Amino acid sequence: MTKEELLKLQNGSDIRGIALSGVEGEEINLTEEACLKIGGAFAVWLSKKTGKPCQNLTVGIGRDSRLSGPKLEIAITKALLSNGIKVVRCGMATTPAMFMSIVFPQTKFDGSIMITASHLPFNRNGIKFFDKDGGLEHEDITQILTLADSQNSEQNKNANINDSKIFDLIDLYANHLKNSICTALNSTQEQKPLSGLKIVVDSGNGASGFFVSEILEPLGADTTGSQFLNPDGSFPNHIPNPENKQAMKAIQDATVKNKADLGLIFDTDVDRMSAVLSDGTEVNRDSIIAMISAILAPDYPESTIVTDSVTSDRLTYFLEKVLNLKHLRYMRGYKNVINKQKELNQNGIVCPLAMETSGHGALKENYYLDDGAYLAVKLIIALAKASKQNKTLSSLIEKLPPLIEEGEFRFKITSENFKEYGAKVLETFKKRAQEKNYTLPESFEGVRISFNDKNAKGWILLRMSLHDPVMPMNIESENKGDLPKLIKIAKELTDGFEFLDTSCLK
């Protein structure tokens, strides 16, 4: 592979590519050769970062349920071994568990690798890296892919895979989560503190099935109705993605049908989750941020919650007026919100939670790790406590104003230099809004307009996509019937851009 082909595998702070054939027009580019080069490059990068020779470093490697995972794992393992790294293969794992393998005293790896492409289709796969500082940054991935060009894939493939060790990381990780539940509920595992609770889980055939067999059931919960727990990288039932409508309906139906107290759904590698209340109400996007914030608020009074740019004004009202917290609406991208959270805490501003509407949520108390299973644990603890007081989880967010009307529109940019053109669109969009005397609150990403008068109540956000030649626009109205009014305003503000396709704005 050429250097240019390797660099094209970068996707923000991850590596992603096509690992299997089967989709027309999509050629495999995350090959065995690529992984042999990338694995060796990570060894070199980690040695330089730690200041230790490769022979003194240990790296753990895990994967989710994707069909291409075992093949890629072998290639990366061989490359690490060829460069002198000690390798511990953790088999089926989760992204958060692979980070925790650096923290757990039983493992204390110098670095770790997770083979996953999150919620993407079956033919995709990817690689995430961790060291003691957490997930790698964009520039780290660029360095690794640049180093990969000088790696000899033929030489790296000659290592003996049997020189690696095998370790059941999920068992250790699950015990960590069980202990978190028991400690919070002043109980022991033997006392089964979740007895009397009915919790349904939908794994979407990803890597989260252990949450039922190794956490909920041993602690006494009734998990009848849990579904799609067996790992299957063909994803035969639905995409393992809490934002997918089919996936959400599946867990809603299962929760209501089985009269469960709580439904949980995870993405493939378990760094994201969403929930469903007993009546089938979905708790995602703004509402999952609101619920986790409500759980944390008593322990972190007047603290700051960081979210991505597309959260609503109603969430701001709930956080600031109901919970007496501060809301910092930042940028899209889970690394962006987590890094802002770290920055605030380092500067003495208490920030217990950074969370995207996608379900990525990082807690200060949990190593700033976006861990869907840990968020689920926080919900389960809150459920158990509420149940003892004859309350429900829904009481935590009963004062969150309901979602009335919303729309998301994606405008394609047809200009060759789409980033430059998008910047000009935003500049003009903002100028037009100012000329109309619209209210423009502080925005770290794109241009946001707030409306609060007799004509309309709500907001509009226009921004650039993180990676694609697309400008997403989110619109939300607080009064029924106001959405068409806001769409009309949006049409006026985006009229006349030659290389911006706004035909979806109807």
Side-chain angles (χ1 to χ4, degrees), residues 13 43 56 86 128 134 236 248 273 285 313 325 357 364 397 405 408 424 468 485 502:
S13 56
N56 292 350
K86 299 180 185 70
K128 294 183 178 182
M248 182 53 72
M273 61 79 64
R285 297 182 67 81
D313 291 346
L325 304 174
T357 47
K364 178 178 180 287
I397 55 172
E405 295 174 329
E408 180 172 282
K424 290 179 179 178
D468 303 318
K485 299 176 185 177
T502 61

Side-chain angles (χ1 to χ4, degrees), residues 306 328 330 335-345 351 444:
V306 176
L328 176 59
Y330 196 52
K335 287 293 289 184
N336 290 329
V337 295
I338 293 173
N339 286 342
K340 175 55 73 172
Q341 177 191 29
K342 289 180 178 179
E343 176 192 319
L344 291 175
N345 281 298
C351 179
F444 290 93

Side-chain angles (χ1 to χ4, degrees), residues 346-413:
Q346 287 167 359
N347 292 333
I349 300 171
V350 178
C351 179
L353 175 68
M355 195 162 188
E356 271 201 310
T357 47
S358 66
H360 279 288
L363 275 70
K364 178 178 180 287
E365 69 184 51
N366 191 42
Y367 306 95
Y368 299 104
L369 176 63
D370 51 325
D371 184 343
Y374 192 84
L375 288 176
V377 161
K378 298 296 285 188
L379 288 181
I380 289 165
I381 293 168
L383 172 65
K385 290 180 176 179
S387 180
K388 288 183 178 180
Q389 300 172 357
N390 293 319
K391 294 181 179 180
T392 62
L393 266 183
S394 60
S395 63
L396 287 171
I397 55 172
E398 60 187 2
K399 293 182 180 179
L400 173 68
L403 174 63
I404 305 299
E405 295 174 329
E406 68 170 343
E408 180 172 282
F409 308 89
R410 298 177 68 82
F411 308 147
K412 292 182 180 179
I413 300 176

Side-chain angles (χ1 to χ4, degrees), residues 411-422:
F411 308 147
K412 292 182 180 179
I413 300 176
T414 56
S415 172
E416 187 173 334
N417 192 337
F418 68 88
K419 290 187 178 180
E420 182 179 317
Y421 189 78

Side-chain angles (χ1 to χ4, degrees), residues 293-301 323 325:
S293 298
I295 292 170
L296 296 172
D299 294 326
Y300 301 93
L323 299 181
L325 304 174

Side-chain angles (χ1 to χ4, degrees), residues 29-97:
N29 60 357
L30 188 57
T31 60
E32 179 185 18
E33 178 192 0
C35 290
L36 286 165
K37 285 176 170 287
I38 292 167
F42 180 62
V44 174
W45 180 91
L46 187 63
S47 176
K48 184 177 180 180
K49 170 84 183 281
T50 60
K52 299 178 182 179
C54 288
Q55 290 74 13
N56 292 350
L57 296 174
T58 301
V59 170
I61 183 168
R63 54 182 168 79
D64 66 18
S65 60
R66 291 176 182 277
L67 301 174
S68 58
K71 178 182 69 174
L72 302 188
E73 177 192 346
I74 289 173
I76 295 172
T77 298
K78 285 185 174 183
L80 292 168
L81 291 169
S82 292
N83 280 266
I85 299 281
K86 299 180 185 70
V87 181
V88 179
R89 295 163 62 201
C90 301
M92 187 74 62
T94 73
T95 294

Side-chain angles (χ1 to χ4, degrees), residues 301-306 319-320 323-328 349:
E302 300 182 2
S303 59
T304 297
I305 305 298
V306 176
L319 294 177
E320 297 191 345
L323 299 181
N324 197 30
L325 304 174
K326 298 178 183 67
H327 182 199
L328 176 59
I349 300 171

